[in-house]
Amino acid sequence: MHEWALAESIVSYILEKANEMNIKKILEVEIKIGELRQIDMEILLIALKTLSENTILEKAIFKISIEEAFLKCRVCGYEWSYREEKSKIEEKDIEAIHFIPEIIHSFIKCPKCSSIDFEIVKGKDVWIEKIKF
Amino acid sequence: MNKVNNNDPRFSIINKRLEKINRIIVVLSGKGGVGKSLIATISSLILSKKSKVGLLDLDFQNPSCHTILGFFNGKPIENKGVIPPIVHGIKFMSIVYYSGEKPIPLRGGEITDTIIEIFTIVKWNSLNYLFIDMPPGIGDEVLDIIKLVKNCEILIVTTSSKLAIETFKKVIEMLKISNVKILGVIENMKRGREKNVIKLAEKYGIRYLGYLQFDYKIEKYLSNPSKLLKTNFSKKLEKILLKIIQ
């Protein structure tokens, strides 16, 4: 349910930008969300629509797409996808990553050299890709 | 269709999340092991007797406020965001809810992202005071907090040890450049009659709030807040806090 917290930040951000640009109506918003967040799309969309009521976003279409998560070892350079490793992570730890994506560093290591020093190349952020008005 | 620049929406909500908090007190020190977490936690316990208080442990590498509070198995509630559990009268938030006993090997940018995420998802609602326990040093976390949390107030903790004094100077210089409000300095673990902290505070125009003597009972009473509050350490700290909250 922290999808609501993210939805609040998205709506707040768009309204702020629209105000700065003197935009009176928004038609469409493209949102990208990293896979690590494991967002419940249905809840996020309900939250976005609810929070948009009585604003210039009320009639907007929200297009949300997921960015696949990739990790890269800083020691041996091996790159792998989160999906490859997800089955090895306990359910409660997956839930922890859902709340704070960076916490993945506590639960995963490089499948090749076992280093804990890796970077999240992509798939953890949330951002507004485009706004149509 | 407009492609959006600087498009992380989380920044736009952080100050709204904090707008119902009267005072945000950031407890920091240059050196580790000077009693920062203890002062942040016991200050929260003391003020929670008469006020609504939150405590945020931002020391991701060595979180310890939960140990001081004796709170090992709790979790936040999810309700359109993350609601910190109330622990001994304090709304308490820590990364240990998610990492458990495991280490969190984060680098600079990841630390910043974790801080932003916590401020985005945690709903404190109304508080009189939010104490933020920082990791030692003047690195990413401190710079992030000064940037992200408008109107935060800094409470510096140091000891009179030569090792701590050197970093104390650097902390003050950095904070002065950053133009952030400094409440003052607490000298902790005082054993003798050294005056070096007082002199440095005077030199830099920082308020010397007082000292706390080394208290052997503290270690024994960790994880037992009611006993901690009865120590001489806590009684003296309560008097020091009056200078900050009045």
Side-chain angles (χ1 to χ4, degrees), chain B residues 99-111:
Chain B
S99 63
E101 297 297 308
K102 294 194 164 138
I104 316 164
L106 300 177
R107 286 183 184 254
E110 294 161 342
I111 292 171

Side-chain angles (χ1 to χ4, degrees), chain A residues 88-121:
Chain A
K88 298 175 192 165
I89 309 172
E90 284 184 45
E91 199 57 44
K92 68 176 177 55
D93 298 338
I94 289 173
E95 196 188 330
I97 297 166
H98 158 69
F99 284 104
I100 300 176
E102 287 74 18
I103 211 86
I104 193 172
H105 285 278
S106 294
F107 307 118
I108 275 190
K109 52 190 177 182
C110 172
K112 206 171 177 186
C113 75
S114 298
S115 169
I116 55 167
D117 188 8
F118 63 85
E119 64 178 303
I120 305 166
V121 180

Side-chain angles (χ1 to χ4, degrees), chain B residues 1-49:
Chain B
M1 187 77 83
N2 251 27
K3 192 162 173 69
V4 183
N5 294 320
N6 184 22
N7 49 9
D8 185 337
R10 297 175 301 170
F11 289 104
S12 72
I13 204 74
I14 290 176
N15 279 296
K16 287 176 191 162
R17 292 272 185 257
L18 303 175
E19 69 188 359
K20 291 181 186 166
I21 304 173
N22 295 343
R23 296 184 67 185
I24 300 175
I25 298 175
V26 178
V27 184
L28 62 82
S29 69
K31 269 282 181 202
V34 298
K36 197 170 13 64
S37 301
L38 197 65
I39 286 173
T41 308
I42 296 184
S43 296
S44 302
L45 287 166
I46 290 167
L47 293 182
S48 70
K49 287 187 272 185

